[in-house]
Amino acid sequence: SSRNNAYFSRPSAGAWHHYAFVFDTTAAPAQQITPYVDGVPVSYTKTASGSPAAFTSSTLYMMSRNASALLGAGSLDEVAVYRAALGASTIAAHYAAR
């Protein structure tokens, strides 16, 4: 009950992709995570919709699960974390500016 997740299909392998995740604690728990790939929101499925407080004290793992398992292959570049949820037009502009 304390977890909140969003699962979506991986885009094409072997190519560069722009990922953005909006974590919005003002939204209802089922809509608090919105994933974007290459500047557009993607469809996703959920298995858990925890409380908004879960984002403020949780660890965010990138390219792994719990920092020790299910490690992703690839590289990260220009990781950014913002204090407020970005809108769809801002995310699209970030992708276009790559």
Side-chain angles (χ1 to χ4, degrees):
S1 64
S2 66
R3 301 283 189 246
N4 198 326
N5 58 40
Y7 296 97
F8 58 94
S9 297
R10 184 178 83 172
S12 58
W16 181 94
H17 291 285
H18 178 269
Y19 289 92
F21 299 91
V22 175
F23 300 100
D24 185 357
T25 58
T26 65
Q31 286 83 41
Q32 288 179 349
I33 302 173
T34 304
Y36 290 76
V37 177
D38 297 338
V40 296
V42 295
S43 60
Y44 60 93
T45 58
K46 296 185 72 59
T47 60
S49 294
S51 67
F55 292 130
T56 60
S57 61
S58 293
T59 302
L60 179 61
Y61 295 104
M62 296 182 186
M63 299 184 68
S64 72
R65 193 173 294 174
N66 200 21
S68 62
L70 300 172
L71 303 173
S75 300
L76 290 175
D77 186 26
E78 300 181 35
V79 175
V81 177
Y82 298 88
R83 294 176 85 50
L86 299 181
S89 61
T90 302
I91 292 170
H94 284 193
Y95 172 67
R98 68 187 195 289

